[in-house]
Amino acid sequence: MASEEEINLLVIVVDVNPIWWGQQAQRATELTLSKCLDAVMVLGNSHMAMSRTNKLSVIASHFEDSHFLYPGKSWRMGDSCGDDASSSGDGKYELLAVANNLIAEEIRKVMSKTEVRGNSTDTLLAGTLAKALCYINRVSKEFEVGQEIKSRILVIKAAEDCARQYMNFMNVIFAAQKQNILIDACVLDSDSGLLQQACDITGGLYLKIPQKVALAQYLLWVFLPDSEQRSQLVLPPPAHVDYRAACFCHRNLIEIGYVCSVCLSIFCNFSPICTTCETAFKIQLPQMVKPKKKKLKQPT
Amino acid sequence: MAALSEEVLLVVKKVRQRKQDGTLYLMAERIAWGPEGKDRFTVSHLYADTRCQKISPDGKAKIQLQLVLHTGESTTFHFSNDSSALKDRDAAKELLQQLLPKFKKKANKELEEKNRMLQEDPVLFQLYKDLVVSQVISADEFWANRLGDTNHADPSLSNNKQEVGISGAFLADIRPQTDGCNGLRYNLTADIIESIFRTYPTVKEKYCENVPHNLTEKEFWTRFFQSHYFHRDRINTGTQDIFSECAKQDEQGLKSMVVQGVKNPLVDLLSLEDKTLDEGYGVCTTLPSTSNSNRSVKESSNSAIIKRFNHHSAMVLAAGSRKGETPANQASETSNTDGNSRDSVFFQPPVKKVKLKEAIEYEDLQRENRPKTVALNLKKSDRYAHGPVPLQSQQYTTSQDIINSVNYIQHEMVNYKPNLTQVLSSTTASSAIAALSSGGVLMQAATQQAINQMVPSEVQGELKHLYAAAGELLRHFWSCFPVNTPFMEEKVTKMKSNLERFQMTKLCPFQEKIQRQYLSTNLTGHLEEMLQTAYSKFHIWQTRRMLRKT
């Protein structure tokens, strides 16, 4: 018999791009990766504390791969995974303590394994989101039939967008939309057009926080409530999303342009041959009107 | 009051209208009724306004005549003269039948069409009210564009009426009734006669030959029904019977039909036999003989009636496919179906081929015969994969920088231990809260209320009507450009004045009204902008025209 309570699954995707965070640390800004992870842990704990049936997952997005920080692969509820500090001395809810320890352990592993290979330095965000969707799918299948599970993904973004991930990103967004999974975004540094689109399409919240130090506060205020509770709260309004397309020739964002009817590529200027599919076009020029010879009136 | 100059065509006394006695007058142009004793007419209708007249059926006690007007109203007159009520009513009816068509205006049909359109489409009706009733635009201009479409559609529809087929039971439907003393009464309607002619062209030939030279129509049909041709057992006695020839022709037709067989190669009628399991459970060794001599009397009479049934059905089907062609064509074209074929050979192959083809081919398994398309030849397909992220100059980091950063962070995270009690200081938290509260940095956009919540719904409705009306006027205005003909010039000038009138009569009062309600939002800004664009275009066109003239 499926229990009546709804299960809420929150998947937090943290951008742990070492290059960006390393640069941040070098500039001695106040928000370091450690502080960021602390804030994430606070949010995770709060989420799990809200209800017994809430579930959490944390994935770290790296430029090499995406790594599940929590739950771990071999983690079982009953196992004493860490004999050392599983029972923290402050009487905390054991699940939270275990989660925190696991996250800390995993991120240490991830960071120590980092190797610069020189191929790409962009965060593999699209891949991480895809992994998150797969995880959500797996979890929702594990429950009994009829058990409702509501999921959402929160992306904490640090580094810039990678234009090459555009296609995969859009696929992930539309897949999330079909599955009714919200994608929220908390952006630390530069605005990300892709995440803006993601939030707009799936119905999530996009926020670029002005004060990086107060990350935890923003996370708790804006991203802790789930979608039903958000309708009762006054939260930052959705930003205007720039849906303009970019022309294929210069990558300028244009509002009005020319589209090839064969291959649907967008251009900002008319050219008689489409450079993508090599179709020739004809445009009717306005008919030239011969100017009539006017008789000039001679002033008398 | 009755005009003295009007010519009175018919006066009928003792006609009641609405339970009042009175007199009915039919004049040259109208029909009127006045109550008894009074000089004035209380009811008067022009023939031009009348759509049609109706009379009560013959059997009813009340003898009435009803006039239905174009507007849908109807007036009923009850003829209550004891002796001559029916005659009076019929006289009035005849006169009206002659007079009404004269006054039927063609325009009424259009009026009905317009009414129908207005009733069906509430948006159109509202537009009509806004523009025509308030005299911003004339009715003709309003209907100019709209009626054009409907007039084209109608003729094509009326031509595609389907042909009515023949009921197989038309002969049985005649249903003779006993006439009392040993006679039979056959009720023949025009439909039945037509069916008989279409099914049995031989009978039609006989009819054309004999009527009206030799026999009257009644006599012809009496003979028809009396003849053995019509009756069940066709014993061909005959010489006297004009229909004996028909019977012989039918026999011939049937025989040739049997010889031709069915054109469908997959249907083998000959293999259908009555095979009875004889005594001995089908082990009977002697084959049942089919020669005519061994048949019993009963069998032969059965076969005769079955033959007649088959023939009748074949004739009905043939008549249906003939579709009322002229007699000249009948002989040559599809006459093979009724057995009297001339060109039967001509039609065999296509039917057979079609049937064979249907049986062996499956549509879904065919190779799709789509029109030939040109293959898409993409040279630079990676362009699609690039998102709308402009290729801006990114911050280039040297590889040394990268290595440094990575080392730094690794160093930092080696000893990472979550310190959850020191995540946030109260000052940073409160400043974040301040930014998130209403009025804060992040909440600026939220303070603007949605405009549709601030404006009352009647105002919204009125604004929608204004937009619809303005849109209609602007459409007329802009469709005049480029101005080529003098008609267009006139229209443009007229439309401009219409727009100005619209602005004066509709837009300005609306603006004043919302100002009075202290609605600070600018609801009519866009409308005014559109009108201004139209005015400036008109102005430019006018100055150009002036320049051209000088």
Side-chain angles (χ1 to χ4, degrees):
Chain A
M1 202 54 169
S3 67
E4 289 305 319
E5 282 183 43
E6 208 176 57
I7 296 181
N8 276 311
L9 170 60
L10 171 65
V11 180
I12 307 179
V13 172
V14 187
D15 180 2
V16 295
N17 192 334
I19 302 167
W20 191 87
W21 284 108
Q23 283 172 344
Q24 284 284 308
Q26 278 179 329
R27 285 185 218 137
T29 49
E30 295 209 23
L31 184 69
T32 57
L33 184 54
S34 330
K35 285 243 178 248
C36 175
L37 284 168
D38 284 349
V40 167
M41 268 192 235
V42 165
L43 176 64
N45 291 348
S46 314
H47 175 75
M48 285 202 282
M50 293 275 273
S51 161
R52 241 173 26 87
T53 55
N54 281 358
K55 306 247 175 281
L56 178 73
S57 173
V58 183
I59 313 179
S61 184
H62 203 271
F63 59 65
E64 289 176 332
D65 62 357
S66 330
H67 193 91
F68 269 85
L69 297 180
Y70 177 81
K73 278 189 196 159
S74 54
W75 184 71
R76 290 279 181 273
M77 191 59 206
D79 289 353
S80 55
C81 46
D83 305 303
D84 42 4
S86 61
S87 54
S88 58
D90 56 1
K92 208 183 331 197
Y93 178 26
E94 192 176 314
L95 178 61
L96 303 184
V98 168
N100 293 346
N101 289 337
L102 202 58
I103 291 174
E105 198 181 310
E106 289 296 321
I107 193 68
R108 282 198 294 265
K109 267 195 236 167
V110 167
M111 280 301 154
S112 55
K113 272 192 319 180
T114 309
E115 272 178 42
V116 181
R117 257 165 261 199
N119 288 358
S120 62
T121 55
D122 291 313
T123 322
L124 299 174
L125 196 52
T128 317
L129 285 174
K131 267 200 181 174
L133 286 179
C134 291
Y135 177 76
I136 292 172
N137 188 38
R138 194 192 89 190
V139 166
S140 40
K141 294 255 184 329
E142 273 175 4
F143 287 102
E144 294 156 356
V145 174
Q147 179 74 52
E148 267 190 45
I149 175 159
K150 280 223 176 112
S151 337
R152 57 193 170 102
I153 301 176
L154 167 64
V155 178
I156 299 179
K157 189 161 184 346
E160 287 92 23
D161 267 348
C162 171
R164 274 172 296 169
Q165 294 179 12
Y166 172 68
M167 264 310 179
N168 298 331
F169 217 102
M170 295 313 284
N171 287 339
V172 164
I173 294 171
F174 288 121
Q177 184 199 29
K178 278 279 191 268
Q179 297 288 312
N180 293 326
I181 297 171
L182 262 66
I183 297 182
D184 299 318
C186 181
V187 173
L188 301 177
D189 194 11
S190 45
D191 267 322
S192 155
L194 292 172
L195 277 177
Q196 276 179 348
Q197 282 193 35
C199 298
D200 194 40
I201 290 172
T202 55
L205 260 176
Y206 175 88
L207 186 66
K208 178 176 180 315
I209 53 180
Q211 275 179 302
K212 289 207 277 271
V213 187
L215 174 63
Q217 183 59 54
Y218 287 110
L219 287 178
L220 289 173
W221 186 282
V222 180
F223 296 107
L224 183 58
D226 62 20
S227 53
E228 280 163 16
Q229 295 158 3
R230 281 180 203 178
S231 56
Q232 322 281 338
L233 301 170
V234 179
L235 292 172
H240 171 74
V241 186
D242 191 359
Y243 275 117
R244 287 181 296 170
C247 69
F248 280 34
C249 32
H250 313 107
R251 292 283 150 205
N252 295 332
L253 294 175
I254 50 172
E255 283 169 12
I256 297 179
Y258 295 85
V259 178
C260 168
S261 50
V262 175
C263 62
L264 297 181
S265 41
I266 303 165
F267 300 104
C268 46
N269 284 321
F270 171 71
S271 69
I273 294 186
C274 167
T275 42
T276 319
C277 64
E278 301 190 343
T279 321
F281 292 111
K282 283 184 212 161
I283 260 197
Q284 276 180 344
L285 297 166
Q287 286 164 354
M288 297 293 288
V289 179
K290 283 193 189 153
K292 287 183 192 162
K293 286 188 185 159
K294 288 185 193 165
K295 282 187 193 163
L296 292 171
K297 262 190 182 171
Q298 297 290 336
T300 51
Chain B
M1 274 304 274
L4 292 169
S5 55
E6 270 183 82
E7 189 194 323
V8 179
L9 298 170
L10 183 65
V11 179
V12 184
K13 295 218 166 64
K14 291 210 178 166
V15 175
R16 291 169 71 94
Q17 202 257 354
R18 293 225 186 131
K19 309 232 169 113
Q20 258 194 320
D21 276 326
T23 325
L24 186 69
Y25 298 86
L26 275 89
M27 260 96 70
E29 279 182 6
R30 60 185 179 133
I31 180 170
W33 179 87
E36 196 78 55
K38 294 224 180 106
D39 241 352
R40 280 184 284 120
F41 293 141
T42 44
V43 179
S44 157
H45 298 301
L46 286 172
Y47 295 133
D49 288 335
T50 326
R51 202 191 319 160
C52 63
Q53 60 165 337
K54 293 185 189 169
I55 54 173
S56 55
D58 280 338
K60 275 207 167 173
K62 259 189 172 183
I63 300 172
Q64 291 177 313
L65 179 85
Q66 190 184 54
L67 285 175
V68 184
L69 303 177
H70 283 299
T71 54
E73 283 172 36
S74 61
T75 324
T76 319
F77 300 106
H78 177 202
F79 293 80
S80 54
N81 192 337
D82 298 323
S83 50
S84 61
L86 189 60
K87 259 199 312 182
D88 290 337
R89 198 273 304 275
D90 285 338
K93 179 193 99 176
E94 299 281 343
L95 195 55
L96 277 174
Q97 262 182 340
Q98 288 164 18
L99 289 169
L100 282 179
K102 288 189 205 163
F103 292 89
K104 253 203 161 106
K105 281 184 270 181
K106 268 187 199 163
N108 284 334
K109 187 181 166 220
E110 277 186 38
L111 198 67
E112 277 178 36
E113 185 65 33
K114 286 180 192 171
N115 275 341
R116 190 186 59 84
M117 279 176 76
L118 284 180
Q119 271 169 13
E120 277 177 3
D121 190 359
V123 175
L124 191 67
F125 190 50
Q126 182 64 39
L127 205 57
Y128 187 80
K129 271 202 289 193
D130 280 341
L131 293 176
V132 178
V133 176
S134 59
Q135 293 189 355
V136 177
I137 196 180
S138 76
D140 291 330
E141 281 174 1
F142 182 78
W143 291 110
N145 286 359
R146 297 214 156 74
L147 280 184
D149 305 324
T150 51
N151 281 342
H152 290 309
D154 279 345
S156 58
L157 286 173
S158 54
N159 284 345
N160 294 344
K161 276 196 196 147
Q162 278 186 316
E163 295 284 335
V164 180
I166 302 176
S167 152
F170 68 86
L171 282 179
D173 280 341
I174 297 178
R175 238 172 263 144
Q177 300 155 340
T178 48
D179 203 358
C181 38
N182 239 9
L184 286 172
R185 203 182 142 79
Y186 288 85
N187 256 337
L188 276 181
T189 62
D191 275 340
I192 295 178
I193 292 177
E194 199 201 324
S195 309
I196 295 178
F197 284 162
R198 275 173 77 180
T199 318
Y200 295 105
T202 46
V203 174
K204 190 174 184 183
E205 279 172 28
K206 292 288 173 191
Y207 182 84
C208 296
E209 281 170 24
N210 292 320
V211 174
H213 325 290
N214 302 342
L215 307 162
T216 63
E217 198 174 337
K218 200 170 171 191
E219 279 178 25
F220 178 78
W221 289 116
T222 327
R223 288 251 200 132
F224 177 77
F225 287 118
Q226 280 174 350
S227 76
H228 287 290
Y229 178 74
F230 178 70
H231 287 284
R232 186 189 288 203
D233 29 332
R234 283 181 175 179
I235 308 162
N236 288 334
T237 44
T239 47
Q240 287 265 330
D241 210 348
I242 47 175
F243 295 105
S244 54
E245 227 177 271
C246 301
K248 282 186 196 148
Q249 271 185 330
D250 284 346
E251 278 274 339
Q252 276 177 343
L254 193 62
K255 276 195 185 135
S256 58
M257 250 198 282
V258 169
V259 165
Q260 269 176 22
V262 179
K263 299 211 179 41
N264 190 347
L266 299 171
V267 173
D268 186 11
L269 280 179
L270 296 177
S271 65
L272 298 171
E273 273 178 31
D274 274 341
K275 289 196 181 96
T276 55
L277 284 179
D278 229 6
E279 295 169 6
Y281 292 96
V283 199
C284 177
T285 45
T286 55
L287 289 165
S289 64
T290 50
S291 61
N292 281 339
S293 54
N294 283 354
R295 276 218 197 131
S296 60
V297 175
K298 191 178 166 198
E299 274 185 31
S300 62
S301 66
N302 281 350
S303 71
I305 197 168
I306 289 173
K307 223 165 38 166
R308 271 209 72 196
F309 275 137
N310 287 340
H311 179 69
H312 177 74
S313 311
M315 298 295 278
V316 170
L317 286 175
S321 65
R322 230 177 277 139
K323 280 186 191 160
E325 291 160 359
T326 58
N329 289 342
Q330 261 184 23
S332 54
E333 293 208 17
T334 52
S335 47
N336 57 335
T337 40
D338 61 9
N340 298 326
S341 68
R342 316 276 166 95
D343 303 353
S344 58
V345 188
F346 186 67
F347 283 94
Q348 256 186 9
V351 178
K352 198 169 176 179
K353 214 176 180 183
V354 165
K355 294 277 180 196
L356 275 175
K357 228 181 172 183
E358 271 176 26
I360 57 176
E361 288 174 351
Y362 280 108
E363 216 177 277
D364 346 358
L365 298 180
Q366 300 286 10
R367 197 165 284 183
E368 291 181 34
N369 292 333
R370 280 203 222 118
K372 286 227 166 99
T373 52
V374 181
L376 187 61
N377 177 22
L378 293 175
K379 293 285 179 221
K380 299 178 190 167
S381 55
D382 52 328
R383 278 177 172 184
Y384 294 99
H386 199 289
V389 179
L391 290 166
Q392 56 203 132
S393 59
Q394 307 212 324
Q395 293 166 335
Y396 288 109
T397 44
T398 63
S399 41
Q400 190 56 47
D401 275 341
I402 294 174
I403 296 172
N404 285 348
S405 316
V406 172
N407 286 338
Y408 205 97
I409 197 74
Q410 278 179 329
H411 181 76
E412 181 194 319
M413 295 302 286
V414 153
N415 300 316
Y416 169 63
K417 255 203 167 61
N419 186 2
L420 296 182
T421 53
Q422 302 287 330
V423 175
L424 204 55
S425 76
S426 52
T427 40
T428 42
S430 39
S431 64
I433 292 175
L436 284 170
S437 320
S438 38
V441 170
L442 296 169
M443 306 291 280
Q444 289 302 335
T447 49
Q448 287 173 358
Q449 269 182 306
I451 204 169
N452 65 345
Q453 286 168 355
M454 293 206 302
V455 175
S457 53
E458 314 92 49
V459 176
Q460 283 186 33
E462 237 186 280
L463 188 65
K464 281 186 199 157
H465 290 151
L466 276 178
Y467 260 96
E472 180 69 17
L473 290 175
L474 285 167
R475 186 173 67 84
H476 279 284
F477 177 81
W478 286 106
S479 64
C480 300
F481 290 94
V483 181
N484 293 331
T485 64
F487 169 69
M488 284 294 183
E489 284 180 23
E490 265 179 54
K491 192 169 176 197
V492 160
T493 345
K494 216 173 14 148
M495 285 321 297
K496 195 228 171 204
S497 56
N498 280 343
L499 284 172
E500 281 175 346
R501 211 178 5 197
F502 170 76
Q503 193 174 17
M504 207 92 70
T505 55
K506 297 268 171 161
L507 198 55
C508 293
F510 180 70
Q511 276 173 320
E512 281 164 26
K513 188 172 110 170
I514 58 174
Q515 263 172 13
R516 264 183 281 133
Q517 290 182 358
Y518 306 115
L519 286 171
S520 56
T521 48
N522 185 9
L523 293 174
T524 54
H526 180 236
L527 271 176
E528 281 179 351
E529 204 184 302
M530 289 200 289
L531 290 173
Q532 272 312 116
T533 326
Y535 294 151
S536 56
K537 173 76 180 176
F538 181 78
H539 185 67
I540 291 172
W541 171 77
Q542 225 176 16
T543 44
R544 276 208 199 129
R545 200 163 69 127
M546 302 286 204
L547 286 176
R548 252 185 284 148
K549 280 189 180 168
T550 53

